């Protein structure tokens, strides 16, 4: 793991190179390997300096998540993080300069090692990312990085940086003072590091000065106390106490700022241990690391086909969806031909991409030259014949069967035999659309979500005649866009729309039953959903929801059961309440601040019995999880990891629960089934657990 080399000038290079691995990570065994190295360095009287570098393409990717995720004894976690803190501290307190020569990503524990060095030089390359992403996994940094950043940036700025889990590039890190120098070529890392070491720099850290408490960040200081109170208030309002890691981070800072550095790092280690052992951390790590990596590694991708990489794609329809697809493709270096019925409309679509790039320019995230290069990848046309050299064509026009089938017939005449055609659809059956195709095996659905540049999910919809190779190529293309593909079968509403609809329909049904609208909305938010179910319905629009239900009724051919919630939507339409787009649904959008419509209680009188918040929350969450299980049983979706990420990315299902299926694991199969049976008895058979759930509960097994 650690290769030691000392040159004629007395400078030691420590090269990190974890055997048999693509990246360097730290686990307890590797951490212990640092100890004899440090003993030797501390005893070396001729030592002039130390350079820490990496033999991998990245510097140090962080901690060993397998070790952390599987740990069952808090004492072992605390021992490990305390050891890391000791190692970083010993590097920091060497009598000679220590330089981090950062050739690639330094994240998590790797970034904490960088912060403990006296000088930090980074290679200015797109892959050189710096940051502490632990909060995105429900944990906090444990090796003292919180305390060091608090000293370097101040409490509030450090809190914002760490809590965002941002991974920043070299120029931004240099601007913030997180690194000291940026270089253009790899060979400059060592050369400049040696030059700095030989310049006899002052290496005392501010926290090791005589007065070793951070005065400006001390919570006893009136201004700091106000900042902490403000951050705490904002945190509770935003997270509703569903994300304890954020509160632990703030507590760690507040407590650590009032003691000396070594005491602060012990506090840091204790908070880190508590978060690693928490359910939230296990849930988020499973979803955003293990489940996500299963998808990225192609666990659900059809096997036996070479990797597909699009060189050029065609996009038909330059509206919001089509222009969004063109934009994200161009951002990943793909040439795009954007087509609409006229050149003028196609250019309007390109202007949408231009506006997005302009915002990136103004924020400093992109240069004018980079923006122009991306924009030039998008060419516009009104002529379908120009699609002939595209590897893939995506049709993104209105949800109209006749229109989409006409386009299939027209564009297939121009496409090369090896290319394939995809439809962006949220509700139409891909198999029905494919009846117009002369090559249905090369036809597939791709359900993108708006806003495309922000939502990382794409549903890949497999028609009855879609070939496995087409599925594999579509899967590869979505990964090429840096999005998360989930594969779903061609059933009514697919997966995301089908399960998400149960959330807002249950909320509307609660309103019909006489539950208070504010209580319903608060229950959804307290449960961890991004918005209340009534606000969710407003966003979609009532006519759209009713239309989708009517379409499902046609597709299910007599097996459809209308929800009583539809009557509520029809009543709202009768009173000219249409949803957010028309400024009035369950909420009034013309008012500031936006409030629930004042006449809701008149139209849907309150029942004498108002449910407890737990009952409201359980109804809103359980109905989603039970529907997701039905999708698994019916083969709509193939596995739990697609379901988990699909629910989090697709409609914002409580991320701290790890997704719809992990929610059941977290609750406990037996406990979940028992609670579902109680809900079924009280509120209706839609909550009745399926036979497979009952069997799993009896066998005391979990979803994988």
């Amino acid at each position: 793991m650690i290769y030691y080399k000392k040159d004629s000038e007395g400078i030691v290079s420590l090269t990190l190179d974890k055997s048999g691995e693509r990246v360097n990570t730290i686990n307890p065994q590797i951490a212990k390997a640092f100890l004899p190295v440090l003993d030797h360095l501390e005893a070396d009287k001729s030592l002039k300096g130390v350079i820490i570098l990496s033999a991998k393409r990245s510097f140090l990717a962080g901690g060993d998540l397998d070790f952390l995720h599987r740990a069952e004894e808090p004492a072992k976690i605390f021992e490990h993080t305390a050891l890391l803190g000791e190692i970083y501290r010993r590097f920091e307190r060497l009598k000679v300069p220590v330089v981090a020569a950062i050739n690639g990503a330094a994240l998590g524990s790797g970034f904490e090692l960088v912060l403990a060095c006296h000088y930090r030089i980074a290679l200015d390359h797109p892959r050189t990312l710096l940051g502490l992403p632990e909060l995105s996994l429900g944990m906090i940094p444990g090796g003292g990085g919180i305390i060091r950043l608090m000293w370097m940036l101040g409490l509030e700025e450090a809190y914002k940086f760490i809590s965002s889990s941002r991974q920043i590039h070299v120029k931004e890190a240099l601007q913030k003072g997180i690194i000291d120098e940026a270089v253009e070529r790899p060979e400059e890392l060592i050369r400049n590091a040696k030059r700095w070491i030989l310049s006899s720099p002052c290496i005392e850290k501010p926290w090791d000065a005589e007065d070793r408490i951070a005065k400006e960040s001390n919570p006893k200081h009136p201004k700091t106390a106000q900042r902490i109170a403000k951050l705490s208030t904002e945190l509770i309002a935003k997270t509703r106490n569903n994300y304890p890691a954020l509160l632990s981070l703030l507590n760690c800072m507040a407590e650590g700022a009032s003691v000396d550095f070594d005491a602060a790092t012990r506090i840091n280690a204790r908070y880190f241990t508590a978060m690693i052992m928490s359910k939230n951390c296990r849930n988020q790590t499973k979803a955003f690391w293990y489940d996500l990596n299963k998808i990225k590694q192609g666990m659900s991708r059809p096997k036996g086909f070479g990797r597909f990489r699009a060189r050029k794609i065609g996009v038909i329809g330059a509206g919001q969806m089509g222009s969004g697809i063109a934009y994200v493709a161009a951002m990943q270096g793909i040439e795009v031909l954007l087509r609409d019925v006229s050149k003028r409309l196609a250019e309007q679509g390109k202007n949408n991409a231009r506006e997005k790039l302009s915002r990136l320019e103004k924020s400093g995230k992109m240069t004018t030259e980079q923006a122009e290069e991306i924009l030039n990848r998008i060419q516009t046309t009104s002529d379908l014949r120009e699609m002939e050299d595209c590897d893939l064509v995506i049709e993104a026009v209105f949800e109209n069967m006749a229109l989409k089938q006409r386009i299939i017939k027209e564009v297939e005449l121009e496409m090369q035999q090896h290319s394939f055609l995809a439809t962006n659809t949220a509700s139409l059956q891909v198999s029905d659309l494919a009846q117009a195709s002369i090559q249905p095996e090369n036809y597939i659905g791709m359900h993108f979500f708006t806003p495309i540049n922000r939502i990382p999910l794409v549903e890949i919809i497999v028609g009855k005649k879609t070939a496995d190779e087409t599925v594999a190529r579509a899967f590869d293309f979505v990964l090429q866009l840096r999005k998360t593909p989930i594969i779903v079968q061609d059933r009514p509403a697919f997966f995301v729309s089908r399960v998400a609809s149960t959330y807002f329909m249950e909320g509307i049904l609660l309103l019909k039953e006489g539950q208070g609208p504010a209580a319903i909305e608060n229950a959804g938010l307290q449960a961890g959903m991004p918005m209340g179910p009534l606000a969710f319905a407003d966003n979609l629009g009532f006519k759209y929801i009713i239309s989708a239900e009517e379409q499902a009724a046609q597709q299910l051919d007599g097996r459809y059961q209308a929800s009583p919630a539809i009557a509520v939507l029809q009543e709202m339409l009768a009173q000219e309440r249409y949803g957010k787009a028309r400024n009035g649904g369950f909420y009034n959008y013309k008012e500031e601040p936006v409030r629930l419509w004042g006449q809701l209680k008149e139209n849907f009188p309150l029942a004498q019995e108002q449910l407890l918040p737990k009952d409201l929350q359980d109804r809103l969450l359980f109905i989603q999880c039970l529907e997701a299980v039905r999708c698994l049983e019916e083969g709509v979706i193939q596995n739990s990891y697609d379901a988990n990420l699909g629910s989090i990315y697709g409609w914002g299902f409580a991320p701290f629960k790890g997704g719809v299926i992990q929610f059941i694991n977290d609750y406990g199969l037996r406990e979940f089934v028992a609670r579902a049976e109680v809900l079924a008895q009280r509120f209706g058979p839609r909550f009745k657990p399926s036979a497979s759930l009952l069997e799993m509960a009896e066998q005391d097994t979990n979803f994988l």
Side-chain angles (χ1 to χ4, degrees):
M1 169 65 184
I2 307 168
Y3 294 93
Y4 180 104
K5 182 180 179 181
K6 188 175 182 181
D7 67 13
S8 58
E9 295 176 293
I11 297 174
V12 168
S13 295
L14 299 178
T15 304
L16 311 179
D17 191 7
K18 189 176 182 182
S19 178
E21 299 289 342
R22 190 172 56 87
V23 296
N24 294 317
T25 56
I26 295 181
N27 59 25
Q29 293 72 35
I30 292 167
K32 288 172 183 174
F34 277 97
L35 297 177
V37 174
L38 281 160
D39 290 341
H40 188 76
L41 292 172
E42 289 167 346
D44 188 349
K45 303 298 183 184
S46 64
L47 184 66
K48 299 297 183 184
V50 177
I51 304 171
I52 304 176
L53 56 148
S54 168
K56 310 289 189 187
R57 279 169 57 86
S58 60
F59 181 77
L60 184 53
D64 186 331
L65 279 175
D66 288 343
F67 162 71
L68 296 174
H69 188 67
R70 294 168 185 166
E72 296 181 357
E73 298 178 36
K76 288 188 176 179
I77 296 294
F78 182 79
E79 179 185 346
H80 170 61
T81 193
L83 176 59
L84 277 185
E86 176 194 340
I87 290 165
Y88 298 160
R89 193 74 172 120
R90 287 175 70 180
F91 273 119
E92 192 170 64
R93 302 190 81 169
L94 280 176
K95 302 300 182 184
V96 299
V98 179
V99 179
I102 310 160
N103 65 312
L107 303 170
S109 300
F111 185 53
E112 292 189 287
L113 173 59
V114 164
L115 293 174
C117 294
H118 302 113
Y119 196 72
R120 295 169 285 276
I121 306 175
L123 179 66
D124 190 3
H125 189 278
R127 70 168 179 263
T128 307
L129 295 170
L130 307 164
L132 297 167
E134 286 89 344
L135 269 292
S136 65
L137 298 176
M139 60 181 82
I140 65 171
I146 292 173
I147 311 303
R148 289 183 175 90
L149 273 180
M150 183 172 65
W151 274 81
M152 293 167 67
L153 303 178
L155 186 147
E156 189 169 9
E157 186 65 26
Y159 173 80
K160 289 178 180 178
F161 176 68
I162 300 170
S163 64
S164 71
S165 296
R166 285 186 63 218
Q167 299 175 25
I168 61 174
H169 290 284
V170 171
K171 283 187 171 62
E172 186 176 353
L174 188 64
Q175 185 180 22
K176 287 180 178 290
I178 291 173
I179 63 169
D180 301 291
E181 185 179 345
V183 296
E184 299 294 328
R185 295 182 295 277
E187 58 269 20
E188 293 178 284
L189 288 168
I190 305 299
R191 188 180 68 205
N192 291 15
K194 288 184 177 182
R195 181 190 303 155
W196 186 81
I197 288 170
L198 296 173
S199 70
S200 302
C202 173
I203 59 172
E204 185 181 52
K205 295 285 190 176
W207 45 87
D208 285 325
E210 187 175 345
D211 183 359
R212 294 183 293 176
I213 295 177
K215 289 182 178 179
E216 290 184 6
S217 294
N218 193 322
K220 294 179 182 179
H221 190 286
K223 287 187 178 179
T224 305
Q226 288 176 0
R227 289 193 193 102
I228 293 172
K230 181 175 179 287
L231 289 171
S232 179
T233 302
E234 291 172 351
L235 173 60
I236 299 301
K238 183 178 180 181
T239 69
R240 292 170 172 80
N241 283 329
N242 285 325
Y243 295 88
L246 286 165
L247 188 58
S248 292
L249 170 63
L250 188 57
N251 287 341
C252 178
M253 288 181 151
E255 294 171 30
S258 60
V259 296
D260 65 66
F261 186 85
D262 292 314
T265 55
R266 288 195 296 274
I267 291 170
N268 190 167
R270 293 189 186 282
Y271 274 113
F272 173 81
T273 303
M275 289 303 98
I276 291 295
M277 302 308 298
S278 70
K279 276 190 170 185
N280 278 30
C281 180
R282 302 299 169 99
N283 290 336
Q284 288 177 250
T285 303
K286 184 180 185 306
F288 299 118
W289 182 255
Y290 292 102
D291 287 352
L292 187 57
N293 279 333
K294 284 178 181 177
I295 293 173
K296 288 180 177 179
Q297 291 161 11
M299 294 284 284
S300 55
R301 178 188 187 273
K303 304 297 185 286
F305 303 100
R307 186 182 177 194
F308 170 79
R309 192 164 183 84
R311 173 191 55 83
K312 180 180 180 180
I313 69 167
V315 179
I316 300 174
Q320 182 184 29
M321 191 62 73
S323 64
I325 295 169
Y327 169 76
V328 296
M331 286 286 284
Q332 300 309 321
I334 302 169
E335 299 294 323
V336 182
L337 183 62
L338 183 60
R339 185 262 181 187
D340 214 306
V341 291
S342 71
K343 180 83 168 176
R344 180 182 62 82
L345 288 174
E347 281 294 326
Q348 285 180 4
K350 184 173 180 177
N351 284 337
N352 292 337
R354 182 179 282 108
E355 288 171 7
K356 290 183 178 71
L357 291 167
S358 178
R359 285 195 289 271
L360 291 175
E361 277 186 73
K362 289 176 181 175
S363 66
K365 295 177 181 177
M366 183 179 291
T367 65
T368 301
E369 292 74 21
Q370 289 170 328
E372 282 300 316
E373 182 182 351
I374 293 166
L375 193 63
N376 287 338
R377 293 189 190 121
I378 302 174
Q379 300 300 314
T380 60
T381 186
S382 60
D383 190 350
L384 281 176
R385 289 174 295 183
E386 294 186 32
M387 298 283 172
E388 62 181 0
D389 62 341
C390 293
D391 303 312
L392 157 66
V393 175
I394 303 173
E395 165 268 301
V397 300
F398 301 114
E399 292 282 270
N400 180 283
M401 180 72 71
L403 174 61
K404 286 177 178 282
Q405 287 189 326
R406 192 192 79 209
I407 289 172
I408 291 171
K409 293 175 181 178
E410 291 174 350
V411 75
E412 279 188 340
L413 295 175
E414 311 301 336
M415 293 171 62
Q416 296 183 47
Q417 191 172 2
H418 73 272
S419 58
F420 68 104
L421 176 61
T423 177
N424 176 71
T425 181
S427 58
L428 297 177
Q429 297 295 105
V430 170
S431 301
D432 292 342
L433 290 166
Q435 291 175 12
S437 174
I438 57 175
Q439 292 182 307
E441 67 277 9
N442 287 351
Y443 187 73
I444 198 165
M446 283 188 188
H447 181 197
F448 289 85
F449 298 84
T450 55
I452 291 178
N453 57 314
R454 288 172 51 195
I455 297 183
L457 186 74
V458 178
E459 278 186 305
I460 296 174
I461 304 137
V462 183
K464 290 177 183 176
K465 295 185 179 180
T466 305
D468 281 352
E469 183 176 6
T470 303
V471 178
R473 295 168 86 190
F475 189 97
D476 294 343
F477 174 69
V478 174
L479 287 180
Q480 189 180 350
L481 295 181
R482 296 182 181 254
K483 291 189 175 291
T484 303
I486 61 170
I487 297 174
V488 302
Q489 296 304 306
D490 189 22
R491 307 286 175 80
F494 315 132
F495 174 73
V496 170
S497 297
R498 172 175 166 176
V499 182
S501 69
T502 64
Y503 172 60
F504 60 79
M505 289 299 234
E506 192 66 27
I508 296 169
L509 188 56
L510 283 164
L511 182 70
K512 186 176 189 297
E513 292 173 4
Q515 298 302 308
I520 295 167
E521 293 296 86
N522 284 330
L525 295 170
Q526 290 287 352
M529 299 299 291
M531 63 180 71
L534 304 181
F536 200 127
D538 273 358
N539 271 15
L540 290 174
F542 302 157
K543 283 188 174 180
Y544 173 83
I545 295 171
I546 292 172
S547 173
E549 288 292 308
E550 290 171 349
Q551 198 169 71
Q554 292 174 1
Q555 293 166 350
L556 287 167
D557 191 24
R559 292 171 289 134
Y560 172 77
Q561 291 184 339
S563 168
I566 292 297
V568 175
L569 296 176
Q570 289 170 337
E571 188 171 337
M572 294 291 283
L573 289 175
Q575 299 198 44
E576 299 185 345
R577 310 288 298 183
Y578 300 96
K580 187 175 181 179
R582 300 280 292 272
N583 288 321
F586 293 116
Y587 285 80
N588 269 333
Y589 295 94
K590 292 181 180 179
E591 300 176 0
E592 285 293 340
V594 172
R595 290 189 176 91
L596 284 159
W597 183 36
Q599 296 178 41
L600 278 179
K601 290 181 181 178
E602 294 176 21
N603 288 274
F604 309 101
L606 294 181
Q608 187 172 358
E609 180 189 359
Q610 292 296 298
L611 297 177
L612 295 172
K614 177 172 173 49
D615 289 332
L616 294 172
Q617 290 179 34
D618 282 357
R619 281 182 62 171
L620 293 171
L621 291 177
F622 270 61
I623 198 70
Q624 298 178 69
C625 298
L626 290 164
E627 192 67 23
V629 170
R630 293 185 192 104
C631 287
L632 281 172
E633 292 171 342
E634 296 170 17
V636 174
I637 200 159
Q638 305 299 313
N639 52 67
S640 61
Y641 49 87
D642 277 1
N644 285 333
L645 269 299
S647 66
I648 294 171
Y649 290 155
W651 69 92
F653 183 88
F656 65 95
K657 290 296 185 182
V660 279
I661 302 301
Q662 180 58 21
F663 177 94
I664 302 174
N665 288 341
D666 178 67
Y667 203 94
L669 257 293
R670 287 181 175 176
E671 294 82 356
F672 181 89
V673 164
R675 178 60 173 159
E677 288 178 328
V678 170
L679 293 173
Q681 290 169 5
R682 292 182 63 190
F683 305 115
R686 65 189 179 282
F687 290 103
K688 192 169 180 59
S690 64
S692 70
L693 267 179
L694 292 168
E695 185 180 347
M696 289 180 71
E698 187 177 331
Q699 296 173 356
D700 199 21
T701 58
N702 277 349
F703 289 97
L704 298 178

